[in-house]
Amino acid sequence: MTDQTLIILGASGDLTARLLLPGLGALLTAGHAPGLTLIGAAIDDWDDTRWRQRVRDSFGIENPVADSARWVRTDVTHTDDLRRLLDEAERHGPVVIFFALPPAVTAKACEALLDVELPPGTRLVLEKPFGTGSASAAEVNALLSRLVPEERVHRVDHFLGKSTVLNILGLRFANRIFEPVLDATHVESVEIVFDENLALEGRAGYYDRAGALADMIQSHLLQILALLTMEAPFTLAAAEFRDRKADVLRATRLWGDPATSTLRARYTAGDLDGRKLPDYTDEPGVDPARETETLAEIVLAVDTWRWAGVPFRLRSGKAIGASRKEAVITFKRPPRVPDGLRGCDQPDRLRIGFGPDHLAIDFNINGPGDPFELDAVTLEADFGQGDLPPYGEVLRGVFQDDPTLSVRADTAEQCWRIIEPVQQAWRSGRVPLLEYPAGTTGPGLTLS
Ligand code: NDP
């Protein structure tokens, strides 16, 4: 890897400190991205010393990249400021610009960059949300396409850097035993669940405008759905891999009427792991009039030859008592269990855990004792952690100029298209906003 420069726009913010810099620190420790120059930029009147301290604190280790990091005070909406910033950066190889900015500021920064000559090979890295709907995503994408080619735009979905999520590829495409039964002939239903025991954790400014549907389902869970349902790419080259994902997302739609195939709810006061939580609406920074959901569940159909007729239930909730983060593939019952085999009618299931990383297969077997009496058993395997945290994995792709793990423009728009009927139904009040006490499992859909 050649020398390159990472410019973080919005470097004094939360994402930079909590996720981006720790991921970068892990990447550097693993020996990737040698020769990196790090430049932090924001409106704040920081200096090199303060920025270097932030970098060291977030890295959690000593690294020369922290010692040489530079701070360039920048209003990213001002073309002259951006020009000065890029002049500073260009002396140290190709440039990666990471927009760790509020989405509205990112759009303005892109407009301001139109009048700046970007160094050859510049890559742009964007954070979710990519727009607020398919139309606004298309607008941002059109703007980005005027700055750099699509292959140099990295839309980060850090779930695509999670080792278990990536292991779906190995599980499906490097084994003979799973892939042939992953279709509508054998699969009854699929659940992709991310119920967390975290609540708002002081992030009302962002979350109260997003909600569980946009924050989790529109982005991370649809990416998992794409990996679970895509056809095998011939190679993992970015174009092929992203084409296969785009194919299934284009074929994905809401299962039925939003009134019966979606659910929204928000938490009320409760006890979460020994913490007393207030009502969501009493959390600082929350505007109750927005009716933001902290739990969303939707059922989707994937209209491909392989998957048509199988319901995919996607769900994510905050302040849930029992955290549950997994994809569960439930298989149909055998056409017939011979008379005389007794005792167990649990369906077979393949469970892929996203935290802790885990794989389990539930099935029925002749148990000990009476050979005609069936028992349910589970075969389990730990995936083990990847070498890098998700942000480190994603950044590795950015520094290698490889967009395989980033979300392509058309895919970002498709993911909005899929949830737009849900948003419309919720806005119109057709689907009531339910409540659940923090610390409970929350409501769930029952599909007729
Ligand atoms: P913050 O509000 O914490 O930080 C935003 C940063 O942008 C600050 O450094 C701010 O500087 C800077 N900024 C704002 N306006 C300008 C400007 N005109 N010129 C230069 N700098 C400016 O936001 P987050 O870090 O939480 O989020 C950043 C992005 O990451 C958002 O798109 C968010 O959706 C996304 N994201 C965040 C996650 C998180 O956990 N925080 C998780 C996933 C995505 P100042 O403080 O001086 O205004």
Side-chain angles (χ1 to χ4, degrees), residues 9-19 41-46 71 74-78 81 98-106 108 126-129 156 158 203 206 215 220 391:
L9 305 179
S12 57
D14 180 68
L15 175 87
T16 304
R18 274 196 320 111
L19 296 170
I43 294 186
D44 304 67
D45 198 9
W46 287 16
W71 182 261
T74 311
D75 183 334
V76 300
T77 62
H78 288 185
D81 278 20
F98 198 118
F99 296 80
L101 298 162
V105 183
T106 294
K108 284 189 192 151
L126 286 105
E127 266 298 332
K128 69 163 196 180
V156 173
H158 73 274
R203 295 197 56 225
Y206 160 72
D215 182 47
H220 308 312
Y391 264 85

Side-chain angles (χ1 to χ4, degrees), residues 321-434:
S323 139
R324 187 176 159 227
K325 301 170 181 174
E326 60 179 358
V328 181
I329 298 163
T330 301
F331 292 90
K332 291 179 177 165
R333 298 287 296 142
R336 180 181 166 83
V337 177
D339 293 347
L341 274 183
R342 305 174 301 267
C344 192
D345 57 4
Q346 167 190 283
D348 304 340
R349 285 181 310 190
L350 175 61
R351 293 186 276 125
I352 302 164
F354 303 119
D357 294 350
H358 193 66
L359 178 72
I361 305 172
D362 303 322
F363 62 108
N364 301 312
I365 195 170
N366 293 40
D370 184 342
F372 301 105
E373 185 79 26
L374 296 172
D375 282 339
V377 292
T378 300
L379 281 183
E380 294 181 270
D382 283 324
F383 273 119
Q385 292 293 322
D387 292 341
L388 295 171
Y391 264 85
E393 195 64 57
V394 165
L395 281 173
R396 172 158 60 170
V398 174
F399 291 135
Q400 290 177 343
D401 207 1
D402 176 0
T404 304
L405 295 185
S406 86
V407 177
R408 205 168 60 187
D410 56 335
T411 295
E413 291 167 33
Q414 283 300 326
C415 290
W416 284 115
R417 195 261 314 147
I418 292 165
I419 67 153
E420 272 166 354
V422 186
Q423 292 177 310
Q424 279 156 17
W426 290 5
R427 265 198 301 269
S428 73
R430 282 191 60 218
V431 181
L433 180 63
L434 307 177

